[in-house]
Amino acid sequence: MTSPAPAALADLIVYNDEVRDALSTGKPVVALESTIITHGMPFPKNVETARQVEADIRAEGAVPATIALMDGKIMVGLSDADLDRLAQARDVMKCSRADLTFALATGRYGATTVAATMMAAHAAGLKVFATGGIGGVHKGAEQSFDISADLDELGRTPVCVVSAGAKALLDIPKTLEVLETKGVPVIAYGTEELPAFWSRQSGLAAPYTLNSAEEIGALLKMRSAFPDHGGVLIANPVPETDEIPRSEMTGYIDAAIAQAETDGIRGKEVTPYVLGAILDLTAGRSLDTNIALVRNNARLAARIAAELV
């Protein structure tokens, strides 16, 4: 018996009306991930934040395209009803590159990480993606080999990722080394020092600095002239009024990682566990900072996307 032909990728992508119209008329579009909705915040804060981030993108003249896997399809842009459905769904898969096709094949709801969002955004024709922070090399990776698939994706998929740097709970120097090996330009926006998610400073010099969306757009256009290029990582510092200084965050991060080790947390469960522990240790401040940095990244991503149309 002959196996059925695989579904064409285009048949798996469902655009909402706003995104479809934007792509057909040449308006800038910014992709958004969905794990922040399903795994990053409790309901209804998750929906409120998602809608606020989308509103920030529209205020900058671009169109938001939140990406998720629902009913065996890659949803590129969610309606209000879809957003509510996803935010309240149970047992949503956290999908990276290895999980995306499994969720599609089984019809499971899937929330996209940085890697899976990059895959879906590129397949859908989107060039710019806003997130909070990327995954990277975990502390102790020389024993655990725990390295996020986000880094491989940045090395292979030509999408500009606007973040507040790598999540500060990671080994940032090793993360930078891997990104360099994979040929990923890491560009700090408006600063000579690499930001560290909740904090504006990491103690590490930024590999490169650009100071405007226009300059970033010019870089992306030049890079796209070369075949088989991967992504570009933009590291955008959280606004000063919203940051938790590095000197303070270091203690919270160390305590949260120690707690995860004591509780035997491994693999893809480490990041959400540690983020939850940090939320408790900071009495909610880390969530407020997370929301502020995601919104800040979304606004910059919208301005960059406008340079590419």
Side-chain angles (χ1 to χ4, degrees):
M1 180 176 177
T2 304
S3 299
L9 183 55
D11 294 338
L12 296 173
I13 298 173
V14 176
Y15 300 92
N16 72 358
D17 291 342
E18 184 182 20
V19 174
R20 185 186 300 107
D21 290 346
L23 291 174
S24 65
T25 57
K27 288 187 65 176
V29 180
V30 175
L32 296 167
E33 64 162 277
S34 46
T35 53
I36 194 171
I37 300 168
T38 58
H39 293 76
M41 300 179 191
F43 181 83
K45 179 64 94 174
N46 53 357
V47 174
E48 294 167 0
T49 300
R51 289 191 172 127
Q52 183 61 69
V53 170
E54 290 191 345
D56 289 331
I57 290 171
R58 293 188 183 100
E60 293 286 347
V63 171
T66 300
I67 292 175
L69 311 177
M70 303 174 76
D71 307 318
K73 300 290 185 181
I74 301 171
M75 310 296 288
V76 180
L78 299 183
S79 67
D80 281 343
D82 286 336
L83 189 57
D84 282 330
R85 192 158 53 111
L86 181 68
Q88 298 182 71
R90 295 177 179 271
D91 299 321
V92 177
M93 288 183 65
K94 182 180 179 182
C95 292
S96 189
R97 170 170 279 269
D99 317 290
L100 187 147
T101 52
F102 183 91
L104 290 172
T106 59
R108 292 271 302 275
Y109 277 23
T112 55
T113 62
V114 168
T117 305
M118 289 182 73
M119 288 175 65
H122 181 51
L126 310 185
K127 300 175 182 178
V128 182
F129 160 39
T131 186
I134 66 161
V137 180
H138 282 260
K139 293 179 180 179
E142 58 271 24
Q143 278 83 41
S144 68
F145 290 89
D146 192 353
I147 301 174
S148 172
D150 294 352
L151 303 186
D152 272 339
E153 207 62 47
L154 278 158
R156 66 157 65 95
T157 302
V159 171
C160 174
V161 179
V162 182
S163 74
K167 293 184 175 73
L169 56 95
L170 301 168
D171 188 323
I172 297 180
K174 286 188 177 67
T175 297
L176 275 180
E177 288 291 344
V178 173
L179 287 169
E180 181 182 16
T181 298
K182 294 184 179 298
V184 179
V186 178
I187 314 295
Y189 179 69
T191 177
E192 299 291 332
E193 184 168 347
L194 193 73
F197 199 62
W198 298 284
S199 308
R200 292 175 61 83
Q201 297 176 323
S202 66
L204 299 170
Y208 299 103
T209 298
L210 292 175
N211 297 305
S212 69
E214 182 179 12
E215 289 179 322
I216 295 170
L219 167 67
L220 296 173
K221 290 173 185 176
M222 182 62 70
R223 191 162 167 83
S224 69
F226 289 80
D228 301 322
H229 67 290
V232 172
L233 178 63
I234 307 299
N236 182 31
V238 62
E240 189 171 359
T241 54
D242 298 300
E243 80 161 330
I244 303 176
R246 177 185 172 216
S247 58
E248 186 178 350
M249 274 308 305
T250 299
Y252 298 136
I253 291 167
D254 290 346
I257 291 174
Q259 187 174 323
E261 291 174 352
T262 298
D263 290 347
I265 306 301
R266 298 288 183 270
K268 67 174 63 179
E269 299 306 319
V270 170
T271 296
Y273 182 96
V274 171
L275 292 177
I278 290 171
L279 178 64
D280 292 339
L281 290 165
T282 61
R285 287 173 62 204
S286 63
L287 178 57
D288 294 337
T289 299
N290 196 351
I291 292 170
L293 65 85
V294 170
R295 294 184 62 188
N296 191 47
N297 295 340
R299 291 188 288 265
L300 176 58
R303 297 194 294 273
I304 294 169
E307 295 293 327
L308 302 179
V309 296

Coordinates of all heavy atoms in Angstrom, one line a residue, residues 2-87:
T2 N 0.6 2.1 -0.9 CA 1.4 3.4 -1.0 C 1.0 4.4 0.0 O -0.2 4.6 0.2 CB 1.2 4.0 -2.4 OG1 1.6 3.0 -3.4 CG2 2.1 5.2 -2.6
S3 N 2.0 5.0 0.7 CA 1.7 6.0 1.7 C 1.2 7.3 1.0 O 1.6 7.6 -0.2 CB 3.0 6.4 2.5 OG 3.5 5.2 3.1
P4 N 0.3 8.0 1.6 CA -0.2 9.2 1.0 C 0.9 10.2 0.9 O 1.8 10.3 1.7 CB -1.3 9.7 2.0 CG -0.9 9.0 3.3 CD -0.3 7.7 2.9
A5 N 0.8 11.1 -0.1 CA 1.8 12.2 -0.3 C 1.7 13.1 0.9 O 0.6 13.4 1.4 CB 1.6 12.9 -1.6
P6 N 2.9 13.6 1.4 CA 2.8 14.6 2.5 C 2.1 15.9 2.0 O 2.1 16.3 0.9 CB 4.3 14.9 2.8 CG 5.0 14.5 1.5 CD 4.2 13.4 0.9
A7 N 1.4 16.5 3.0 CA 0.7 17.8 2.7 C 1.7 18.8 2.3 O 2.8 19.0 2.8 CB -0.1 18.2 3.9
A8 N 1.4 19.6 1.3 CA 2.2 20.7 0.9 C 2.2 21.7 2.0 O 1.2 22.0 2.7 CB 1.6 21.4 -0.4
L9 N 3.4 22.3 2.2 CA 3.6 23.3 3.3 C 2.6 24.4 3.3 O 2.0 24.8 4.3 CB 5.0 23.8 3.3 CG 5.4 24.7 4.5 CD1 5.1 24.1 5.8 CD2 6.8 25.1 4.4
A10 N 2.3 24.9 2.0 CA 1.4 26.0 1.9 C 0.0 25.6 2.4 O -0.8 26.5 2.9 CB 1.3 26.5 0.4
D11 N -0.4 24.3 2.3 CA -1.7 23.9 2.7 C -1.8 23.8 4.2 O -2.9 23.7 4.8 CB -2.0 22.5 2.1 CG -2.2 22.5 0.6 OD1 -2.4 23.6 0.1 OD2 -2.0 21.5 0.0
L12 N -0.7 23.9 4.9 CA -0.7 23.8 6.4 C -0.8 25.2 7.0 O -1.0 25.3 8.2 CB 0.6 23.1 6.9 CG 0.7 21.6 6.5 CD1 2.1 21.2 6.9 CD2 -0.4 20.8 7.1
I13 N -0.6 26.2 6.2 CA -0.5 27.6 6.8 C -1.9 28.3 6.6 O -2.5 28.3 5.5 CB 0.6 28.4 6.1 CG1 1.9 27.8 6.4 CG2 0.5 29.9 6.6 CD1 3.1 28.4 5.6
V14 N -2.4 28.8 7.7 CA -3.7 29.6 7.7 C -3.4 31.0 8.2 O -3.0 31.2 9.3 CB -4.7 28.9 8.6 CG1 -6.0 29.7 8.6 CG2 -5.0 27.5 8.1
Y15 N -3.6 31.9 7.3 CA -3.4 33.4 7.6 C -4.7 33.9 8.1 O -5.8 33.6 7.4 CB -2.9 34.2 6.4 CG -1.6 33.7 5.8 CD1 -1.6 32.8 4.8 CD2 -0.4 34.3 6.2 CE1 -0.4 32.4 4.2 CE2 0.8 33.9 5.7 CZ 0.8 33.0 4.6 OH 2.0 32.6 4.1
N16 N -4.7 34.8 9.1 CA -6.0 35.5 9.4 C -6.1 36.6 8.3 O -5.2 37.0 7.6 CB -6.0 36.0 10.8 CG -5.1 37.1 11.1 OD1 -4.3 37.6 10.3 ND2 -5.2 37.6 12.4
D17 N -7.3 37.3 8.3 CA -7.5 38.2 7.3 C -6.6 39.4 7.3 O -6.1 39.9 6.3 CB -9.0 38.7 7.4 CG -10.0 37.7 7.0 OD1 -9.6 36.7 6.3 OD2 -11.2 37.8 7.4
E18 N -6.3 39.9 8.5 CA -5.4 41.0 8.7 C -4.0 40.8 8.1 O -3.4 41.6 7.4 CB -5.3 41.4 10.2 CG -4.5 42.7 10.4 CD -4.4 43.0 11.9 OE1 -4.6 42.1 12.7 OE2 -4.1 44.2 12.2
V19 N -3.5 39.6 8.4 CA -2.1 39.3 7.9 C -2.1 39.0 6.4 O -1.2 39.5 5.7 CB -1.6 38.0 8.7 CG1 -0.2 37.6 8.1 CG2 -1.4 38.3 10.2
R20 N -3.1 38.3 5.9 CA -3.2 38.1 4.5 C -3.3 39.4 3.7 O -2.6 39.6 2.7 CB -4.5 37.2 4.2 CG -4.5 36.8 2.7 CD -5.8 36.1 2.4 NE -6.0 34.9 3.1 CZ -6.8 34.7 4.2 NH1 -7.6 35.7 4.5 NH2 -6.9 33.6 4.8
D21 N -4.1 40.3 4.2 CA -4.3 41.6 3.5 C -3.0 42.4 3.6 O -2.6 43.0 2.6 CB -5.4 42.4 4.2 CG -6.8 41.9 3.9 OD1 -6.9 41.0 3.0 OD2 -7.7 42.3 4.6
A22 N -2.3 42.3 4.7 CA -1.0 43.0 4.8 C 0.0 42.5 3.8 O 0.8 43.3 3.2 CB -0.5 42.9 6.2
L23 N 0.1 41.2 3.7 CA 1.1 40.6 2.8 C 0.8 40.9 1.4 O 1.7 41.1 0.5 CB 1.2 39.1 3.0 CG 1.8 38.7 4.4 CD1 1.6 37.1 4.6 CD2 3.3 39.1 4.5
S24 N -0.5 40.9 1.0 CA -0.9 41.2 -0.4 C -0.7 42.6 -0.7 O -0.6 43.0 -1.9 CB -2.3 40.7 -0.6 OG -3.2 41.5 0.2
T25 N -0.7 43.6 0.2 CA -0.6 45.0 -0.1 C 0.7 45.6 0.3 O 0.9 46.8 0.2 CB -1.7 45.8 0.7 OG1 -1.6 45.5 2.1 CG2 -3.1 45.4 0.2
G26 N 1.6 44.7 0.8 CA 3.0 45.2 1.1 C 3.2 45.9 2.4 O 4.1 46.7 2.5
K27 N 2.3 45.7 3.3 CA 2.4 46.3 4.6 C 3.4 45.5 5.5 O 3.5 44.2 5.3 CB 1.1 46.4 5.4 CG 0.1 47.4 4.8 CD -1.1 47.6 5.7 CE -0.8 48.1 7.1 NZ -2.0 48.4 7.9
P28 N 4.1 46.1 6.4 CA 5.1 45.3 7.2 C 4.3 44.4 8.2 O 3.3 44.8 8.8 CB 5.8 46.4 8.0 CG 5.0 47.6 8.0 CD 4.2 47.5 6.7
V29 N 4.9 43.2 8.4 CA 4.3 42.2 9.3 C 5.3 41.8 10.3 O 6.5 41.6 9.9 CB 3.7 41.0 8.6 CG1 3.1 40.0 9.5 CG2 2.7 41.5 7.5
V30 N 4.9 41.6 11.6 CA 5.9 41.1 12.6 C 5.3 39.8 13.2 O 4.2 39.8 13.7 CB 6.0 42.2 13.7 CG1 6.9 41.6 14.9 CG2 6.7 43.4 13.2
A31 N 6.1 38.8 13.2 CA 5.7 37.5 13.8 C 5.9 37.6 15.3 O 6.8 38.2 15.8 CB 6.6 36.4 13.2
L32 N 5.0 36.8 16.0 CA 5.1 36.7 17.4 C 5.0 35.3 17.8 O 4.2 34.5 17.2 CB 4.0 37.5 18.1 CG 4.0 39.1 17.9 CD1 2.7 39.7 18.3 CD2 5.1 39.7 18.6
E33 N 5.7 34.9 18.8 CA 5.6 33.5 19.3 C 4.4 33.3 20.2 O 3.7 34.3 20.5 CB 6.8 33.2 20.1 CG 7.0 34.0 21.4 CD 7.9 33.4 22.4 OE1 7.5 32.5 23.2 OE2 9.1 33.8 22.5
S34 N 4.1 32.1 20.6 CA 2.9 31.8 21.4 C 3.2 31.1 22.8 O 2.3 31.0 23.6 CB 1.9 31.0 20.7 OG 2.5 29.9 20.0
T35 N 4.5 30.7 23.0 CA 4.7 30.1 24.3 C 4.6 31.1 25.5 O 4.3 30.7 26.6 CB 6.2 29.5 24.4 OG1 7.1 30.5 24.0 CG2 6.3 28.3 23.5
I36 N 4.8 32.4 25.2 CA 4.5 33.4 26.2 C 3.1 33.4 26.7 O 2.8 33.7 27.8 CB 5.0 34.8 25.8 CG1 5.1 35.7 26.9 CG2 4.0 35.3 24.7 CD1 5.7 37.1 26.6
I37 N 2.2 32.9 25.8 CA 0.8 32.9 26.1 C 0.4 31.6 26.9 O -0.3 31.7 27.9 CB -0.1 32.9 24.8 CG1 0.2 34.2 24.1 CG2 -1.6 32.7 25.2 CD1 -0.4 34.2 22.6
T38 N 1.0 30.5 26.5 CA 0.6 29.2 27.1 C 1.5 28.8 28.2 O 1.1 28.0 29.1 CB 0.6 28.1 26.0 OG1 1.9 28.0 25.5 CG2 -0.4 28.4 24.9
H39 N 2.8 29.2 28.2 CA 3.7 28.7 29.2 C 4.4 29.8 30.0 O 5.1 29.5 30.9 CB 4.8 27.8 28.5 CG 4.3 26.6 28.0 ND1 3.6 26.5 26.8 CD2 4.4 25.3 28.4 CE1 3.3 25.2 26.5 NE2 3.8 24.5 27.5
G40 N 4.2 31.1 29.6 CA 4.9 32.1 30.2 C 4.1 32.9 31.3 O 4.7 33.5 32.2
M41 N 2.8 32.9 31.2 CA 2.0 33.7 32.1 C 0.6 33.0 32.4 O 0.1 32.3 31.6 CB 1.7 35.1 31.5 CG 2.9 35.9 31.1 SD 2.4 37.5 30.4 CE 4.0 38.0 29.8
P42 N 0.1 33.3 33.6 CA -1.3 32.8 33.9 C -2.4 33.5 33.1 O -2.2 34.7 32.7 CB -1.4 33.0 35.4 CG -0.5 34.2 35.6 CD 0.6 34.1 34.7
F43 N -3.5 32.8 33.0 CA -4.7 33.5 32.4 C -5.3 34.4 33.5 O -5.4 33.9 34.6 CB -5.7 32.4 31.9 CG -6.9 32.9 31.3 CD1 -7.0 33.3 30.0 CD2 -8.1 33.1 32.1 CE1 -8.1 33.8 29.4 CE2 -9.2 33.6 31.5 CZ -9.3 33.9 30.1
P44 N -5.8 35.6 33.2 CA -5.9 36.2 31.9 C -4.8 37.2 31.5 O -4.8 37.8 30.5 CB -7.2 37.0 32.0 CG -7.2 37.5 33.5 CD -6.6 36.3 34.3
K45 N -3.7 37.2 32.4 CA -2.6 38.1 32.1 C -2.0 37.8 30.8 O -1.5 38.6 30.0 CB -1.5 38.0 33.2 CG -0.3 38.8 33.0 CD -0.6 40.3 33.0 CE -0.4 40.9 34.4 NZ -0.6 42.4 34.4
N46 N -2.0 36.5 30.4 CA -1.4 36.1 29.1 C -2.1 36.7 27.9 O -1.5 37.2 27.0 CB -1.3 34.5 29.0 CG -2.6 33.9 29.2 OD1 -3.7 34.5 29.5 ND2 -2.7 32.5 29.1
V47 N -3.4 36.7 28.0 CA -4.2 37.2 26.9 C -4.1 38.8 26.8 O -3.9 39.4 25.8 CB -5.7 36.8 27.0 CG1 -6.5 37.5 25.9 CG2 -5.9 35.3 26.9
E48 N -4.1 39.4 28.0 CA -4.0 40.8 28.1 C -2.7 41.3 27.5 O -2.6 42.2 26.7 CB -4.1 41.3 29.5 CG -5.5 41.1 30.1 CD -5.5 41.3 31.7 OE1 -4.4 41.6 32.2 OE2 -6.5 41.1 32.3
T49 N -1.6 40.6 27.8 CA -0.3 40.9 27.3 C -0.2 40.7 25.8 O 0.4 41.5 25.1 CB 0.8 40.1 28.0 OG1 0.7 40.4 29.4 CG2 2.2 40.4 27.5
A50 N -0.7 39.6 25.4 CA -0.7 39.3 23.9 C -1.4 40.4 23.1 O -0.9 40.8 22.1 CB -1.3 37.9 23.6
R51 N -2.5 40.8 23.6 CA -3.3 41.8 22.9 C -2.6 43.2 23.0 O -2.6 44.0 22.0 CB -4.7 41.9 23.5 CG -5.5 40.7 23.1 CD -7.0 40.9 23.5 NE -7.8 39.8 22.9 CZ -8.6 39.0 23.6 NH1 -8.8 39.3 24.9 NH2 -9.2 38.0 23.0
Q52 N -1.9 43.5 24.1 CA -1.2 44.7 24.2 C 0.0 44.7 23.3 O 0.3 45.8 22.6 CB -0.7 44.9 25.7 CG 0.0 46.2 25.9 CD -0.9 47.4 25.6 OE1 -1.8 47.7 26.4 NE2 -0.6 48.2 24.6
V53 N 0.7 43.6 23.2 CA 1.9 43.5 22.2 C 1.4 43.7 20.8 O 2.0 44.4 20.0 CB 2.6 42.2 22.4 CG1 3.7 42.0 21.3 CG2 3.3 42.2 23.8
E54 N 0.3 43.1 20.5 CA -0.2 43.3 19.1 C -0.6 44.7 18.9 O -0.4 45.3 17.8 CB -1.4 42.4 18.9 CG -1.1 40.9 18.8 CD -2.2 40.0 18.4 OE1 -3.4 40.5 18.4 OE2 -2.0 38.8 18.0
A55 N -1.2 45.4 19.9 CA -1.6 46.8 19.7 C -0.3 47.7 19.6 O -0.4 48.7 18.8 CB -2.4 47.2 21.0
D56 N 0.8 47.3 20.3 CA 2.0 48.1 20.1 C 2.5 48.0 18.7 O 3.0 49.0 18.1 CB 3.1 47.6 21.1 CG 2.8 47.8 22.5 OD1 2.1 48.9 22.8 OD2 3.2 47.1 23.4
I57 N 2.4 46.9 18.1 CA 2.9 46.7 16.7 C 2.0 47.5 15.7 O 2.5 48.2 14.8 CB 2.9 45.2 16.3 CG1 4.0 44.5 17.1 CG2 3.1 45.0 14.8 CD1 4.0 43.0 17.0
R58 N 0.7 47.5 15.9 CA -0.2 48.2 15.1 C 0.1 49.7 15.2 O 0.0 50.5 14.3 CB -1.7 47.9 15.4 CG -2.1 46.5 15.1 CD -3.6 46.3 15.2 NE -3.9 44.9 15.0 CZ -4.1 43.9 15.9 NH1 -4.0 44.3 17.2 NH2 -4.4 42.7 15.6
A59 N 0.4 50.2 16.5 CA 0.6 51.6 16.7 C 1.8 52.1 15.9 O 2.0 53.3 15.7 CB 0.8 51.9 18.2
E60 N 2.8 51.2 15.6 CA 4.0 51.5 14.8 C 3.7 51.4 13.3 O 4.7 51.5 12.5 CB 5.1 50.6 15.3 CG 5.6 50.9 16.7 CD 6.4 52.2 16.8 OE1 6.8 52.8 15.8 OE2 6.6 52.6 18.0
G61 N 2.5 51.0 12.9 CA 2.2 51.0 11.5 C 2.4 49.6 10.9 O 2.3 49.5 9.7
A62 N 2.6 48.6 11.7 CA 2.8 47.2 11.2 C 1.6 46.3 11.6 O 0.8 46.7 12.4 CB 4.1 46.6 11.6
V63 N 1.7 45.1 11.2 CA 0.6 44.1 11.5 C 1.2 43.0 12.3 O 2.2 42.4 11.9 CB -0.1 43.6 10.2 CG1 -1.0 42.4 10.5 CG2 -0.8 44.7 9.5
P64 N 0.6 42.6 13.4 CA 1.1 41.5 14.2 C 0.6 40.1 13.6 O -0.5 40.0 13.2 CB 0.5 41.7 15.6 CG -0.8 42.4 15.3 CD -0.6 43.3 14.1
A65 N 1.5 39.1 13.7 CA 1.1 37.8 13.3 C 1.5 36.8 14.4 O 2.6 36.3 14.4 CB 1.7 37.4 12.0
T66 N 0.7 36.6 15.4 CA 0.9 35.6 16.4 C 0.8 34.2 15.8 O -0.2 33.9 15.1 CB 0.0 35.8 17.6 OG1 0.2 37.1 18.2 CG2 0.3 34.8 18.7
I67 N 1.8 33.4 16.1 CA 1.9 32.1 15.4 C 1.6 31.0 16.5 O 2.2 31.0 17.6 CB 3.2 31.9 14.7 CG1 3.3 32.8 13.5 CG2 3.4 30.4 14.3 CD1 4.7 32.8 12.9
A68 N 0.8 30.0 16.1 CA 0.5 28.9 17.0 C 0.0 27.7 16.1 O -0.4 27.9 14.9 CB -0.6 29.2 18.0
L69 N 0.0 26.5 16.7 CA -0.4 25.3 16.0 C -1.8 24.9 16.6 O -1.9 24.6 17.7 CB 0.6 24.2 16.1 CG 2.1 24.6 15.9 CD1 3.0 23.4 16.1 CD2 2.2 25.1 14.4
M70 N -2.8 24.9 15.7 CA -4.1 24.6 16.2 C -4.8 23.8 15.1 O -4.8 24.1 13.9 CB -4.9 25.9 16.4 CG -4.3 26.8 17.5 SD -5.1 28.4 17.7 CE -6.5 27.8 18.7
D71 N -5.5 22.7 15.5 CA -6.3 21.8 14.6 C -5.5 21.4 13.4 O -6.0 21.3 12.2 CB -7.5 22.6 14.1 CG -8.3 23.1 15.3 OD1 -8.5 22.4 16.3 OD2 -8.8 24.3 15.3
G72 N -4.2 21.0 13.6 CA -3.4 20.5 12.5 C -2.9 21.6 11.5 O -2.5 21.2 10.4
K73 N -3.0 22.8 11.9 CA -2.6 23.9 11.0 C -1.6 24.9 11.7 O -1.6 25.0 12.9 CB -3.8 24.7 10.5 CG -4.8 23.9 9.7 CD -4.3 23.5 8.4 CE -5.4 22.8 7.6 NZ -4.9 22.3 6.2
I74 N -0.8 25.6 10.9 CA 0.0 26.6 11.4 C -0.8 27.9 11.3 O -1.0 28.4 10.1 CB 1.4 26.8 10.6 CG1 2.1 25.5 10.7 CG2 2.2 27.9 11.1 CD1 3.4 25.4 9.7
M75 N -1.2 28.5 12.4 CA -2.0 29.7 12.4 C -1.1 30.9 12.4 O -0.2 31.0 13.3 CB -2.9 29.7 13.6 CG -3.7 28.5 13.8 SD -4.9 28.1 12.5 CE -6.1 29.4 12.8
V76 N -1.2 31.7 11.4 CA -0.3 32.9 11.2 C -1.2 34.1 11.4 O -1.9 34.6 10.5 CB 0.4 32.9 9.9 CG1 1.3 34.2 9.8 CG2 1.3 31.7 9.7
G77 N -1.3 34.6 12.6 CA -2.3 35.6 13.0 C -3.4 34.9 13.7 O -4.1 34.0 13.1
L78 N -3.7 35.3 14.9 CA -4.9 34.7 15.7 C -6.0 35.7 15.8 O -5.8 36.9 16.1 CB -4.4 34.2 17.1 CG -3.3 33.2 17.1 CD1 -3.0 32.8 18.6 CD2 -3.7 31.9 16.3
S79 N -7.2 35.2 15.6 CA -8.4 36.0 15.9 C -8.5 36.1 17.5 O -7.9 35.4 18.2 CB -9.6 35.4 15.3 OG -9.9 34.2 16.0
D80 N -9.4 37.0 17.9 CA -9.6 37.1 19.4 C -10.1 35.8 19.9 O -9.7 35.4 21.0 CB -10.6 38.2 19.7 CG -10.0 39.6 19.6 OD1 -8.8 39.7 19.6 OD2 -10.8 40.6 19.5
A81 N -11.0 35.1 19.2 CA -11.5 33.8 19.6 C -10.4 32.8 19.7 O -10.4 32.0 20.7 CB -12.7 33.4 18.7
D82 N -9.6 32.8 18.7 CA -8.4 31.8 18.7 C -7.5 32.1 19.8 O -7.0 31.1 20.5 CB -7.7 31.9 17.4 CG -8.4 31.3 16.2 OD1 -9.3 30.4 16.4 OD2 -8.1 31.6 15.1
L83 N -7.2 33.3 20.1 CA -6.3 33.7 21.2 C -6.9 33.2 22.5 O -6.2 32.6 23.4 CB -6.1 35.2 21.2 CG -5.0 35.8 22.1 CD1 -3.7 35.1 21.9 CD2 -5.0 37.3 22.0
D84 N -8.2 33.4 22.8 CA -8.8 33.0 24.0 C -8.8 31.5 24.1 O -8.5 30.9 25.2 CB -10.3 33.5 24.1 CG -10.4 34.9 24.5 OD1 -9.5 35.4 25.2 OD2 -11.3 35.6 24.0
R85 N -9.0 30.8 23.0 CA -9.0 29.3 23.0 C -7.7 28.8 23.3 O -7.5 27.9 24.1 CB -9.5 28.9 21.6 CG -9.8 27.4 21.4 CD -10.7 27.2 20.2 NE -10.2 27.7 19.0 CZ -9.8 26.9 18.0 NH1 -9.8 25.6 18.1 NH2 -9.4 27.5 16.8
L86 N -6.6 29.4 22.7 CA -5.3 28.9 23.0 C -4.9 29.2 24.5 O -4.3 28.3 25.1 CB -4.3 29.6 22.1 CG -2.8 29.2 22.2 CD1 -2.6 27.8 21.8 CD2 -1.9 30.1 21.4
A87 N -5.2 30.4 24.9 CA -4.8 30.8 26.3 C -5.4 29.9 27.4 O -4.8 29.8 28.5 CB -5.2 32.3 26.5

